[in-house]
Amino acid sequence: MATSLSLARAQTVATPPATSATSADERLQSAEETFRAGSAAYQHNDLHSAHVQFEKLVLMVPEVAAGHSAFGTVLLAEGDAASALVQLELAHRLDPQDAGAILNLAMTYEQLRDYAKSVQMFQLLDQTGSGPPQKLTPHASITYATALSAVAEPEAAQKHLEKALIDSPDNAALYDTLGTVLAQQEHYPQASVQIQRAISLDPTLASAHFHLGSVYLNQGDTSAAVKELTKATDLAKDNVEYTLQYGRALRADNQDDSALTVLRHALSLNPTSVDAKYELALTLQAKDNAREALPLFEQVVMARPQDFSSLTNLGLALVQTGDAKRAIPIYIRALTINGQSATLRQDLGVAYLQQSDLDHAMEQFRAGLAIEPDNAYLHYDLGLALKLKDDASAAVPEFVRAEELDSKLPDPPYTLGVLYLQLGRFTEAQSELEKATALSPDNGNAWAILGNAYRESGELQKAAPALRRAIELLPNQPSPHIGLAAILSQQGDTVGAAAERKKAADLSRIAVSRQRANFALDSGKALLKEGKVSDALVQLQAAVEADPNYGEAHSTLADAFDRQGRSADAALERQKAQKLLPATSPGATPPANP
């Protein structure tokens, strides 16, 4: 900032409204003193006092460019870029050669993201005056480079920063910005070198750790990205942008639980952040928690109604929560934005499948295959729709093609094996199911069906181990026990066969009891919601009688007792629930239907 007003020049711009030379001199002297007071305050970083003095100054001598320039500079330092712009544009009109006003205008336009005007002002600054181009401070150089990058001139930004580093070779922020510009051009190795140089000069520079972590993330080195972004967020704990990138890196590194914690924190830092809501929703969806992700996706789509990715993820969350009816129009909206996405066609087809609309599902799968003919997932989904249409002859080639395109997918051989078994092609069924169990050794249903396929073809020595493996994986399923009983009976082991039949019968009874308990529990919950506590108690007591080991039924019954003021009964039921709920948590396998 200049240290004095150019009074002589000011008087050539406009004649001061004074009644005499003496009053004019007094006015200008007062203006000079006000300017000096404002400048002193600014140099001591007392922005409030500087603001007061320069605001007074522009009212005293509105025809003087330097006053507006100084006031604009203070407003910019206070973060009020919009008000600064008004003062600086006025200063520039009053004195087009005022380098300070031009520089601050360039800085202000960059803050307001009017990058083209910012570049224009920086270029004008080089042309101002008769001497050599004015040297910029490192901060101004960074601002210029940022504006150049934003108007798609990254090479010019790079050259400018390299020139600035000649004058300031130990400035960490310049190296950091140069690395960022190189990263924008996808020159990641060179970018890493420059940003690491910045960190070596200033290990506490949070932006450098953020940028280096982002470079690593773009290169797919997720563990290195997490390490750098951890440092960035440690240094700038309340920076939402850094926290969001840290969450993305954790998700990419398959640390979903940690990612959820970080992204929830990001949303707490800025509850209105659409990006924070979107990233949190994506991570919840990746954790199979579509129900919690759904309202977040809905808020994102409300803010970004034309965002293709947001629409498709909202549609997916709706399908995942069983609401394909609402998902279909969302997907159709997304199609109007990008009709050439094979993945979108597949997702829409799956939504139609959930609605049992097989014809529209096949239409979408075929449209997707027209875009990506070698998409294994689309071939599989089309095969599945054809199978559901009872068109086995058309379904088989689709499953075979999916398997050819991606031999590591477990679903095509599994479904193909089931289909071959239904068609009586036992040898082919065995071959496919053997592939399925090799690719997915924990698929209990595949082992059970493979065991039955061996039994149908008379390979009892192979059938029994396959069914025993199914029983290990599906301890609550009665059907593998039934199949094993038949094999043991054929082998003459009547005692073993009888034991397996008994186990199957017991499991069938448990499954029926759980079905009855579920029905009564659902009825009880609905009645509680309506406030009909007495009627709810009848249903909930029926639920615990049908299945005494059903923790959720005991817990809900406790809530009903509480509503009636029966605290002792509620405590007893809650105690039972606490003992049972760990065994009936979402990860446990409930008894299956026989």
Side-chain angles (χ1 to χ4, degrees):
M1 184 182 292
T3 57
S4 63
L5 284 170
S6 179
L7 300 179
R9 188 172 67 214
Q11 292 181 67
T12 65
V13 175
T15 303
T19 58
S20 67
T22 302
S23 62
D25 290 342
E26 290 173 354
R27 175 173 169 272
L28 293 173
Q29 183 178 354
S30 178
E32 190 77 54
E33 290 171 357
T34 301
F35 184 86
R36 281 198 292 270
S39 297
Y42 181 84
Q43 289 165 4
H44 287 89
N45 202 32
D46 183 357
L47 296 181
H48 175 72
S49 297
H51 181 118
V52 170
Q53 294 298 327
F54 289 131
E55 187 172 28
K56 186 197 305 183
L57 179 65
V58 297
L59 293 172
M60 293 170 63
V61 283
E63 70 279 9
V64 177
H68 293 285
S69 180
F71 189 28
T73 302
V74 172
L75 288 166
L76 185 61
E78 290 178 320
D80 188 355
S83 298
L85 182 63
V86 174
Q87 297 297 324
L88 292 166
E89 285 184 334
L90 182 54
H92 184 52
R93 283 199 297 272
L94 290 169
D95 184 0
Q97 298 300 309
D98 184 345
I102 294 171
L103 175 59
N104 283 316
L105 260 179
M107 305 281 279
T108 304
Y109 282 131
E110 191 275 337
Q111 276 198 24
L112 293 171
R113 299 189 178 186
D114 192 343
Y115 300 112
K117 285 187 177 178
S118 178
V119 169
Q120 182 182 357
M121 286 295 111
F122 276 117
Q123 291 173 342
L124 180 62
L125 187 66
D126 290 340
Q127 301 162 14
T128 301
S130 57
Q134 181 175 332
K135 287 186 178 180
L136 301 179
T137 64
H139 176 61
S141 292
I142 289 169
T143 302
Y144 189 11
T146 302
L148 286 167
S149 293
V151 296
E153 293 188 36
E155 292 179 0
Q158 180 182 337
K159 289 178 182 176
H160 177 74
L161 289 166
E162 288 169 346
K163 189 181 297 183
L165 278 165
I166 295 173
D167 296 324
S168 304
D170 295 325
N171 188 284
L174 283 171
Y175 283 106
D176 179 33
T177 308
L178 177 57
T180 305
V181 169
L182 288 164
Q184 289 168 352
Q185 300 173 75
E186 298 185 2
H187 301 328
Y188 296 127
Q190 300 96 310
S192 296
V193 170
Q194 298 300 331
I195 300 172
Q196 285 168 346
R197 173 66 175 153
I199 292 171
S200 68
L201 288 167
D202 184 0
T204 66
L205 186 60
S207 64
H209 291 288
F210 166 69
H211 291 136
L212 185 57
S214 299
V215 167
Y216 287 142
L217 188 57
N218 287 332
Q219 289 181 299
D221 190 347
T222 56
S223 60
V226 167
K227 181 180 177 182
E228 289 301 323
L229 290 165
T230 300
K231 293 176 183 176
T233 52
D234 285 344
L235 290 164
K237 296 185 185 299
D238 294 336
N239 188 301
V240 177
E241 184 182 6
Y242 295 2
T243 306
L244 281 175
Q245 191 76 324
Y246 183 28
R248 293 185 190 104
L250 286 166
R251 186 175 68 233
D253 200 44
N254 298 315
Q255 298 185 49
D256 289 341
D257 289 333
S258 297
L260 282 176
T261 301
V262 168
L263 292 168
R264 289 187 198 281
H265 175 59
L267 189 56
S268 72
L269 291 172
N270 185 358
T272 64
S273 170
V274 177
D275 286 335
K277 291 174 183 177
Y278 185 59
E279 294 300 332
L280 178 56
L282 286 176
T283 309
L284 287 164
Q285 194 172 57
K287 285 281 291 178
D288 295 325
N289 188 355
R291 196 162 299 281
E292 190 179 348
L294 181 57
L296 292 169
F297 280 131
E298 288 173 330
Q299 292 172 49
V300 171
V301 167
M302 190 174 295
R304 301 171 178 169
Q306 295 301 309
D307 185 76
F308 176 77
S309 297
S310 300
L311 286 167
T312 53
N313 281 299
L314 171 57
L316 179 58
L318 286 165
V319 170
Q320 289 170 327
T321 54
D323 195 353
K325 185 176 181 179
R326 281 180 61 207
I328 288 169
I330 296 293
Y331 282 139
I332 291 172
R333 276 175 60 188
L335 275 178
T336 63
I337 299 170
N338 180 7
Q340 292 302 304
S341 169
T343 301
L344 175 55
R345 295 286 183 177
Q346 181 188 7
D347 289 344
L348 179 53
V350 170
Y352 280 125
L353 269 187
Q354 195 179 94
Q355 288 287 94
S356 300
D357 186 346
L358 301 179
D359 291 332
H360 280 106
M362 290 189 292
E363 179 185 343
Q364 292 303 321
F365 296 144
R366 288 184 172 123
L369 285 168
I371 300 166
E372 292 183 13
D374 293 335
N375 186 311
Y377 295 96
L378 280 165
H379 281 287
Y380 174 77
D381 288 337
L382 178 57
L384 192 60
L386 289 164
K387 179 179 180 294
L388 293 171
K389 286 275 284 186
D390 295 323
D391 190 350
S393 61
V396 167
E398 295 299 332
F399 291 136
V400 170
R401 182 60 180 148
E403 195 173 351
E404 290 171 349
L405 289 167
D406 191 342
S407 60
K408 293 182 179 179
L409 283 179
D411 287 343
Y414 170 70
T415 310
L416 193 54
V418 172
L419 187 54
Y420 281 148
L421 194 62
Q422 292 171 345
L423 295 172
R425 296 162 63 172
F426 300 120
T427 302
E428 292 164 290
Q430 288 173 24
S431 175
E432 293 301 326
L433 290 165
E434 284 168 353
K435 292 177 189 175
T437 51
L439 289 166
S440 184
D442 294 333
N443 186 337
N445 289 317
W447 283 106
I449 297 169
L450 177 58
N452 288 327
Y454 284 140
R455 183 164 63 87
E456 291 289 344
S457 62
E459 297 183 61
L460 303 185
Q461 297 303 317
K462 289 184 178 180
L467 288 167
R468 292 188 191 280
R469 177 62 177 151
I471 289 168
E472 288 177 20
L473 294 167
L474 304 170
N476 298 315
Q477 283 274 18
S479 55
H481 291 281
I482 295 170
L484 183 57
I487 292 170
L488 294 173
S489 180
Q490 285 180 267
Q491 291 176 331
D493 184 356
T494 55
V495 175
E500 292 300 326
R501 288 194 191 96
K502 183 178 184 305
K503 290 175 184 176
D506 290 341
L507 289 169
S508 295
R509 279 193 295 273
I510 292 170
V512 171
S513 296
R514 178 56 63 90
Q515 285 178 333
R516 287 170 50 211
N518 272 326
F519 179 80
L521 176 61
D522 290 342
S523 298
K525 284 180 174 178
L527 289 165
L528 267 184
K529 193 172 182 180
E530 295 171 10
K532 299 176 181 177
V533 180
S534 297
D535 293 337
L537 275 171
V538 173
Q539 292 298 324
L540 295 169
Q541 285 170 328
V544 297
E545 287 170 9
D547 187 350
N549 295 317
Y550 199 175
E552 187 182 357
H554 286 285
S555 177
T556 310
L557 180 57
D559 293 340
F561 280 141
D562 275 334
R563 296 268 287 271
Q564 278 199 333
R566 296 164 61 180
S567 56
D569 290 331
L572 181 61
E573 291 302 324
R574 199 159 277 120
Q575 187 178 35
K576 292 176 183 177
Q578 287 171 350
K579 291 178 181 178
L580 294 167
L581 280 173
T584 56
S585 63
T589 304
N593 294 332

PDB file of all heavy atoms in Angstrom, residues 196-225:
ATOM      1  N   GLN A 196       6.604 -32.611  -2.711  1.00  0.00           N
ATOM      2  CA  GLN A 196       7.499 -33.125  -1.667  1.00  0.00           C
ATOM      3  C   GLN A 196       8.559 -32.079  -1.315  1.00  0.00           C
ATOM      4  O   GLN A 196       8.979 -31.978  -0.154  1.00  0.00           O
ATOM      5  CB  GLN A 196       8.137 -34.431  -2.128  1.00  0.00           C
ATOM      6  CG  GLN A 196       7.172 -35.602  -2.089  1.00  0.00           C
ATOM      7  CD  GLN A 196       7.692 -36.832  -2.803  1.00  0.00           C
ATOM      8  OE1 GLN A 196       8.675 -36.763  -3.555  1.00  0.00           O
ATOM      9  NE2 GLN A 196       7.046 -37.956  -2.599  1.00  0.00           N
ATOM     10  N   ARG A 197       9.000 -31.298  -2.306  1.00  0.00           N
ATOM     11  CA  ARG A 197       9.936 -30.209  -2.047  1.00  0.00           C
ATOM     12  C   ARG A 197       9.285 -29.174  -1.121  1.00  0.00           C
ATOM     13  O   ARG A 197       9.922 -28.665  -0.187  1.00  0.00           O
ATOM     14  CB  ARG A 197      10.350 -29.552  -3.373  1.00  0.00           C
ATOM     15  CG  ARG A 197      11.203 -28.295  -3.248  1.00  0.00           C
ATOM     16  CD  ARG A 197      12.552 -28.567  -2.660  1.00  0.00           C
ATOM     17  NE  ARG A 197      13.381 -27.374  -2.657  1.00  0.00           N
ATOM     18  CZ  ARG A 197      14.361 -27.140  -1.790  1.00  0.00           C
ATOM     19  NH1 ARG A 197      14.628 -28.029  -0.834  1.00  0.00           N
ATOM     20  NH2 ARG A 197      15.084 -26.039  -1.858  1.00  0.00           N
ATOM     21  N   ALA A 198       7.998 -28.884  -1.369  1.00  0.00           N
ATOM     22  CA  ALA A 198       7.280 -27.945  -0.507  1.00  0.00           C
ATOM     23  C   ALA A 198       7.229 -28.466   0.924  1.00  0.00           C
ATOM     24  O   ALA A 198       7.460 -27.714   1.878  1.00  0.00           O
ATOM     25  CB  ALA A 198       5.863 -27.739  -1.041  1.00  0.00           C
ATOM     26  N   ILE A 199       6.971 -29.760   1.079  1.00  0.00           N
ATOM     27  CA  ILE A 199       6.872 -30.345   2.424  1.00  0.00           C
ATOM     28  C   ILE A 199       8.219 -30.334   3.123  1.00  0.00           C
ATOM     29  O   ILE A 199       8.304 -30.106   4.337  1.00  0.00           O
ATOM     30  CB  ILE A 199       6.289 -31.773   2.331  1.00  0.00           C
ATOM     31  CG1 ILE A 199       4.816 -31.700   1.899  1.00  0.00           C
ATOM     32  CG2 ILE A 199       6.415 -32.509   3.666  1.00  0.00           C
ATOM     33  CD1 ILE A 199       4.203 -33.035   1.578  1.00  0.00           C
ATOM     34  N   SER A 200       9.290 -30.555   2.361  1.00  0.00           N
ATOM     35  CA  SER A 200      10.622 -30.528   2.978  1.00  0.00           C
ATOM     36  C   SER A 200      10.956 -29.121   3.482  1.00  0.00           C
ATOM     37  O   SER A 200      11.646 -28.961   4.492  1.00  0.00           O
ATOM     38  CB  SER A 200      11.688 -31.000   1.978  1.00  0.00           C
ATOM     39  OG  SER A 200      11.846 -30.056   0.925  1.00  0.00           O
ATOM     40  N   LEU A 201      10.442 -28.099   2.783  1.00  0.00           N
ATOM     41  CA  LEU A 201      10.665 -26.716   3.221  1.00  0.00           C
ATOM     42  C   LEU A 201       9.751 -26.331   4.381  1.00  0.00           C
ATOM     43  O   LEU A 201      10.142 -25.562   5.253  1.00  0.00           O
ATOM     44  CB  LEU A 201      10.433 -25.760   2.046  1.00  0.00           C
ATOM     45  CG  LEU A 201      11.498 -25.772   0.948  1.00  0.00           C
ATOM     46  CD1 LEU A 201      11.001 -25.034  -0.284  1.00  0.00           C
ATOM     47  CD2 LEU A 201      12.803 -25.143   1.452  1.00  0.00           C
ATOM     48  N   ASP A 202       8.535 -26.875   4.374  1.00  0.00           N
ATOM     49  CA  ASP A 202       7.571 -26.545   5.428  1.00  0.00           C
ATOM     50  C   ASP A 202       6.698 -27.763   5.718  1.00  0.00           C
ATOM     51  O   ASP A 202       5.641 -27.934   5.107  1.00  0.00           O
ATOM     52  CB  ASP A 202       6.705 -25.355   5.008  1.00  0.00           C
ATOM     53  CG  ASP A 202       5.748 -24.921   6.129  1.00  0.00           C
ATOM     54  OD1 ASP A 202       5.774 -25.550   7.205  1.00  0.00           O
ATOM     55  OD2 ASP A 202       4.994 -23.953   5.912  1.00  0.00           O
ATOM     56  N   PRO A 203       7.127 -28.621   6.648  1.00  0.00           N
ATOM     57  CA  PRO A 203       6.356 -29.844   6.954  1.00  0.00           C
ATOM     58  C   PRO A 203       4.972 -29.554   7.521  1.00  0.00           C
ATOM     59  O   PRO A 203       4.135 -30.464   7.577  1.00  0.00           O
ATOM     60  CB  PRO A 203       7.225 -30.552   7.996  1.00  0.00           C
ATOM     61  CG  PRO A 203       8.589 -29.961   7.847  1.00  0.00           C
ATOM     62  CD  PRO A 203       8.372 -28.553   7.426  1.00  0.00           C
ATOM     63  N   THR A 204       4.731 -28.319   7.953  1.00  0.00           N
ATOM     64  CA  THR A 204       3.426 -27.988   8.532  1.00  0.00           C
ATOM     65  C   THR A 204       2.460 -27.405   7.495  1.00  0.00           C
ATOM     66  O   THR A 204       1.359 -26.963   7.864  1.00  0.00           O
ATOM     67  CB  THR A 204       3.581 -26.983   9.684  1.00  0.00           C
ATOM     68  OG1 THR A 204       4.053 -25.725   9.164  1.00  0.00           O
ATOM     69  CG2 THR A 204       4.551 -27.500  10.734  1.00  0.00           C
ATOM     70  N   LEU A 205       2.835 -27.396   6.232  1.00  0.00           N
ATOM     71  CA  LEU A 205       1.980 -26.835   5.192  1.00  0.00           C
ATOM     72  C   LEU A 205       0.881 -27.845   4.850  1.00  0.00           C
ATOM     73  O   LEU A 205       1.087 -28.789   4.080  1.00  0.00           O
ATOM     74  CB  LEU A 205       2.805 -26.486   3.947  1.00  0.00           C
ATOM     75  CG  LEU A 205       2.080 -25.754   2.814  1.00  0.00           C
ATOM     76  CD1 LEU A 205       1.514 -24.419   3.285  1.00  0.00           C
ATOM     77  CD2 LEU A 205       3.016 -25.539   1.617  1.00  0.00           C
ATOM     78  N   ALA A 206      -0.284 -27.640   5.429  1.00  0.00           N
ATOM     79  CA  ALA A 206      -1.379 -28.608   5.285  1.00  0.00           C
ATOM     80  C   ALA A 206      -1.782 -28.808   3.830  1.00  0.00           C
ATOM     81  O   ALA A 206      -2.067 -29.935   3.405  1.00  0.00           O
ATOM     82  CB  ALA A 206      -2.589 -28.146   6.103  1.00  0.00           C
ATOM     83  N   SER A 207      -1.806 -27.713   3.048  1.00  0.00           N
ATOM     84  CA  SER A 207      -2.224 -27.832   1.649  1.00  0.00           C
ATOM     85  C   SER A 207      -1.306 -28.756   0.860  1.00  0.00           C
ATOM     86  O   SER A 207      -1.764 -29.474  -0.042  1.00  0.00           O
ATOM     87  CB  SER A 207      -2.272 -26.453   0.992  1.00  0.00           C
ATOM     88  OG  SER A 207      -0.975 -25.870   0.954  1.00  0.00           O
ATOM     89  N   ALA A 208      -0.012 -28.756   1.189  1.00  0.00           N
ATOM     90  CA  ALA A 208       0.924 -29.620   0.465  1.00  0.00           C
ATOM     91  C   ALA A 208       0.631 -31.097   0.747  1.00  0.00           C
ATOM     92  O   ALA A 208       0.638 -31.927  -0.169  1.00  0.00           O
ATOM     93  CB  ALA A 208       2.359 -29.278   0.851  1.00  0.00           C
ATOM     94  N   HIS A 209       0.369 -31.435   2.003  1.00  0.00           N
ATOM     95  CA  HIS A 209       0.008 -32.822   2.328  1.00  0.00           C
ATOM     96  C   HIS A 209      -1.304 -33.200   1.641  1.00  0.00           C
ATOM     97  O   HIS A 209      -1.456 -34.324   1.154  1.00  0.00           O
ATOM     98  CB  HIS A 209      -0.110 -32.985   3.839  1.00  0.00           C
ATOM     99  CG  HIS A 209       1.197 -32.880   4.568  1.00  0.00           C
ATOM    100  ND1 HIS A 209       2.169 -33.861   4.512  1.00  0.00           N
ATOM    101  CD2 HIS A 209       1.696 -31.893   5.358  1.00  0.00           C
ATOM    102  CE1 HIS A 209       3.199 -33.498   5.253  1.00  0.00           C
ATOM    103  NE2 HIS A 209       2.951 -32.301   5.772  1.00  0.00           N
ATOM    104  N   PHE A 210      -2.247 -32.253   1.598  1.00  0.00           N
ATOM    105  CA  PHE A 210      -3.520 -32.503   0.921  1.00  0.00           C
ATOM    106  C   PHE A 210      -3.293 -32.766  -0.563  1.00  0.00           C
ATOM    107  O   PHE A 210      -3.843 -33.726  -1.123  1.00  0.00           O
ATOM    108  CB  PHE A 210      -4.450 -31.299   1.115  1.00  0.00           C
ATOM    109  CG  PHE A 210      -5.647 -31.288   0.213  1.00  0.00           C
ATOM    110  CD1 PHE A 210      -6.667 -32.215   0.370  1.00  0.00           C
ATOM    111  CD2 PHE A 210      -5.761 -30.344  -0.799  1.00  0.00           C
ATOM    112  CE1 PHE A 210      -7.780 -32.202  -0.462  1.00  0.00           C
ATOM    113  CE2 PHE A 210      -6.868 -30.322  -1.639  1.00  0.00           C
ATOM    114  CZ  PHE A 210      -7.874 -31.257  -1.464  1.00  0.00           C
ATOM    115  N   HIS A 211      -2.500 -31.926  -1.205  1.00  0.00           N
ATOM    116  CA  HIS A 211      -2.268 -32.084  -2.637  1.00  0.00           C
ATOM    117  C   HIS A 211      -1.477 -33.361  -2.942  1.00  0.00           C
ATOM    118  O   HIS A 211      -1.766 -34.056  -3.920  1.00  0.00           O
ATOM    119  CB  HIS A 211      -1.533 -30.859  -3.196  1.00  0.00           C
ATOM    120  CG  HIS A 211      -2.369 -29.622  -3.201  1.00  0.00           C
ATOM    121  ND1 HIS A 211      -1.903 -28.388  -2.803  1.00  0.00           N
ATOM    122  CD2 HIS A 211      -3.681 -29.430  -3.527  1.00  0.00           C
ATOM    123  CE1 HIS A 211      -2.869 -27.491  -2.918  1.00  0.00           C
ATOM    124  NE2 HIS A 211      -3.955 -28.101  -3.341  1.00  0.00           N
ATOM    125  N   LEU A 212      -0.491 -33.678  -2.105  1.00  0.00           N
ATOM    126  CA  LEU A 212       0.283 -34.900  -2.337  1.00  0.00           C
ATOM    127  C   LEU A 212      -0.607 -36.131  -2.145  1.00  0.00           C
ATOM    128  O   LEU A 212      -0.549 -37.079  -2.934  1.00  0.00           O
ATOM    129  CB  LEU A 212       1.486 -34.954  -1.386  1.00  0.00           C
ATOM    130  CG  LEU A 212       2.458 -36.112  -1.602  1.00  0.00           C
ATOM    131  CD1 LEU A 212       3.003 -36.130  -3.032  1.00  0.00           C
ATOM    132  CD2 LEU A 212       3.618 -36.035  -0.603  1.00  0.00           C
ATOM    133  N   GLY A 213      -1.438 -36.103  -1.101  1.00  0.00           N
ATOM    134  CA  GLY A 213      -2.372 -37.211  -0.905  1.00  0.00           C
ATOM    135  C   GLY A 213      -3.319 -37.363  -2.079  1.00  0.00           C
ATOM    136  O   GLY A 213      -3.636 -38.485  -2.499  1.00  0.00           O
ATOM    137  N   SER A 214      -3.771 -36.250  -2.639  1.00  0.00           N
ATOM    138  CA  SER A 214      -4.675 -36.288  -3.794  1.00  0.00           C
ATOM    139  C   SER A 214      -3.974 -36.852  -5.023  1.00  0.00           C
ATOM    140  O   SER A 214      -4.578 -37.598  -5.807  1.00  0.00           O
ATOM    141  CB  SER A 214      -5.213 -34.890  -4.088  1.00  0.00           C
ATOM    142  OG  SER A 214      -5.940 -34.385  -2.979  1.00  0.00           O
ATOM    143  N   VAL A 215      -2.696 -36.509  -5.195  1.00  0.00           N
ATOM    144  CA  VAL A 215      -1.913 -37.071  -6.305  1.00  0.00           C
ATOM    145  C   VAL A 215      -1.816 -38.585  -6.152  1.00  0.00           C
ATOM    146  O   VAL A 215      -2.038 -39.349  -7.105  1.00  0.00           O
ATOM    147  CB  VAL A 215      -0.508 -36.429  -6.368  1.00  0.00           C
ATOM    148  CG1 VAL A 215       0.408 -37.230  -7.299  1.00  0.00           C
ATOM    149  CG2 VAL A 215      -0.596 -34.984  -6.832  1.00  0.00           C
ATOM    150  N   TYR A 216      -1.492 -39.044  -4.949  1.00  0.00           N
ATOM    151  CA  TYR A 216      -1.400 -40.488  -4.709  1.00  0.00           C
ATOM    152  C   TYR A 216      -2.741 -41.173  -4.968  1.00  0.00           C
ATOM    153  O   TYR A 216      -2.792 -42.274  -5.537  1.00  0.00           O
ATOM    154  CB  TYR A 216      -0.952 -40.760  -3.276  1.00  0.00           C
ATOM    155  CG  TYR A 216       0.506 -40.459  -2.994  1.00  0.00           C
ATOM    156  CD1 TYR A 216       0.894 -39.909  -1.775  1.00  0.00           C
ATOM    157  CD2 TYR A 216       1.487 -40.723  -3.937  1.00  0.00           C
ATOM    158  CE1 TYR A 216       2.229 -39.626  -1.503  1.00  0.00           C
ATOM    159  CE2 TYR A 216       2.823 -40.448  -3.683  1.00  0.00           C
ATOM    160  CZ  TYR A 216       3.189 -39.905  -2.456  1.00  0.00           C
ATOM    161  OH  TYR A 216       4.513 -39.629  -2.204  1.00  0.00           O
ATOM    162  N   LEU A 217      -3.832 -40.526  -4.567  1.00  0.00           N
ATOM    163  CA  LEU A 217      -5.155 -41.111  -4.771  1.00  0.00           C
ATOM    164  C   LEU A 217      -5.460 -41.246  -6.262  1.00  0.00           C
ATOM    165  O   LEU A 217      -5.996 -42.272  -6.706  1.00  0.00           O
ATOM    166  CB  LEU A 217      -6.211 -40.233  -4.086  1.00  0.00           C
ATOM    167  CG  LEU A 217      -7.640 -40.780  -4.017  1.00  0.00           C
ATOM    168  CD1 LEU A 217      -7.685 -42.132  -3.313  1.00  0.00           C
ATOM    169  CD2 LEU A 217      -8.555 -39.787  -3.320  1.00  0.00           C
ATOM    170  N   ASN A 218      -5.098 -40.222  -7.040  1.00  0.00           N
ATOM    171  CA  ASN A 218      -5.308 -40.291  -8.492  1.00  0.00           C
ATOM    172  C   ASN A 218      -4.458 -41.367  -9.145  1.00  0.00           C
ATOM    173  O   ASN A 218      -4.827 -41.921 -10.180  1.00  0.00           O
ATOM    174  CB  ASN A 218      -4.998 -38.932  -9.130  1.00  0.00           C
ATOM    175  CG  ASN A 218      -6.072 -37.903  -8.844  1.00  0.00           C
ATOM    176  OD1 ASN A 218      -7.227 -38.243  -8.635  1.00  0.00           O
ATOM    177  ND2 ASN A 218      -5.697 -36.633  -8.815  1.00  0.00           N
ATOM    178  N   GLN A 219      -3.315 -41.682  -8.532  1.00  0.00           N
ATOM    179  CA  GLN A 219      -2.436 -42.723  -9.060  1.00  0.00           C
ATOM    180  C   GLN A 219      -2.832 -44.118  -8.571  1.00  0.00           C
ATOM    181  O   GLN A 219      -2.245 -45.103  -8.994  1.00  0.00           O
ATOM    182  CB  GLN A 219      -0.989 -42.438  -8.650  1.00  0.00           C
ATOM    183  CG  GLN A 219      -0.364 -41.241  -9.366  1.00  0.00           C
ATOM    184  CD  GLN A 219       1.078 -41.020  -8.926  1.00  0.00           C
ATOM    185  OE1 GLN A 219       1.358 -40.765  -7.756  1.00  0.00           O
ATOM    186  NE2 GLN A 219       1.998 -41.128  -9.858  1.00  0.00           N
ATOM    187  N   GLY A 220      -3.821 -44.183  -7.671  1.00  0.00           N
ATOM    188  CA  GLY A 220      -4.262 -45.476  -7.160  1.00  0.00           C
ATOM    189  C   GLY A 220      -3.469 -45.988  -5.984  1.00  0.00           C
ATOM    190  O   GLY A 220      -3.670 -47.129  -5.544  1.00  0.00           O
ATOM    191  N   ASP A 221      -2.558 -45.168  -5.445  1.00  0.00           N
ATOM    192  CA  ASP A 221      -1.772 -45.576  -4.276  1.00  0.00           C
ATOM    193  C   ASP A 221      -2.540 -45.134  -3.027  1.00  0.00           C
ATOM    194  O   ASP A 221      -2.253 -44.105  -2.415  1.00  0.00           O
ATOM    195  CB  ASP A 221      -0.389 -44.923  -4.327  1.00  0.00           C
ATOM    196  CG  ASP A 221       0.561 -45.490  -3.264  1.00  0.00           C
ATOM    197  OD1 ASP A 221       0.078 -46.194  -2.348  1.00  0.00           O
ATOM    198  OD2 ASP A 221       1.777 -45.213  -3.352  1.00  0.00           O
ATOM    199  N   THR A 222      -3.537 -45.930  -2.655  1.00  0.00           N
ATOM    200  CA  THR A 222      -4.470 -45.494  -1.613  1.00  0.00           C
ATOM    201  C   THR A 222      -3.831 -45.432  -0.234  1.00  0.00           C
ATOM    202  O   THR A 222      -4.169 -44.550   0.562  1.00  0.00           O
ATOM    203  CB  THR A 222      -5.695 -46.416  -1.576  1.00  0.00           C
ATOM    204  OG1 THR A 222      -5.261 -47.778  -1.395  1.00  0.00           O
ATOM    205  CG2 THR A 222      -6.478 -46.323  -2.883  1.00  0.00           C
ATOM    206  N   SER A 223      -2.915 -46.345   0.072  1.00  0.00           N
ATOM    207  CA  SER A 223      -2.297 -46.321   1.405  1.00  0.00           C
ATOM    208  C   SER A 223      -1.455 -45.065   1.583  1.00  0.00           C
ATOM    209  O   SER A 223      -1.477 -44.423   2.650  1.00  0.00           O
ATOM    210  CB  SER A 223      -1.449 -47.570   1.633  1.00  0.00           C
ATOM    211  OG  SER A 223      -0.413 -47.670   0.674  1.00  0.00           O
ATOM    212  N   ALA A 224      -0.691 -44.675   0.537  1.00  0.00           N
ATOM    213  CA  ALA A 224       0.097 -43.438   0.605  1.00  0.00           C
ATOM    214  C   ALA A 224      -0.825 -42.220   0.678  1.00  0.00           C
ATOM    215  O   ALA A 224      -0.526 -41.242   1.375  1.00  0.00           O
ATOM    216  CB  ALA A 224       1.022 -43.331  -0.603  1.00  0.00           C
ATOM    217  N   ALA A 225      -1.939 -42.287  -0.043  1.00  0.00           N
ATOM    218  CA  ALA A 225      -2.897 -41.181  -0.007  1.00  0.00           C
ATOM    219  C   ALA A 225      -3.459 -40.994   1.399  1.00  0.00           C
ATOM    220  O   ALA A 225      -3.551 -39.869   1.906  1.00  0.00           O
ATOM    221  CB  ALA A 225      -4.036 -41.442  -0.998  1.00  0.00           C
TER     222      ALA A 225
END
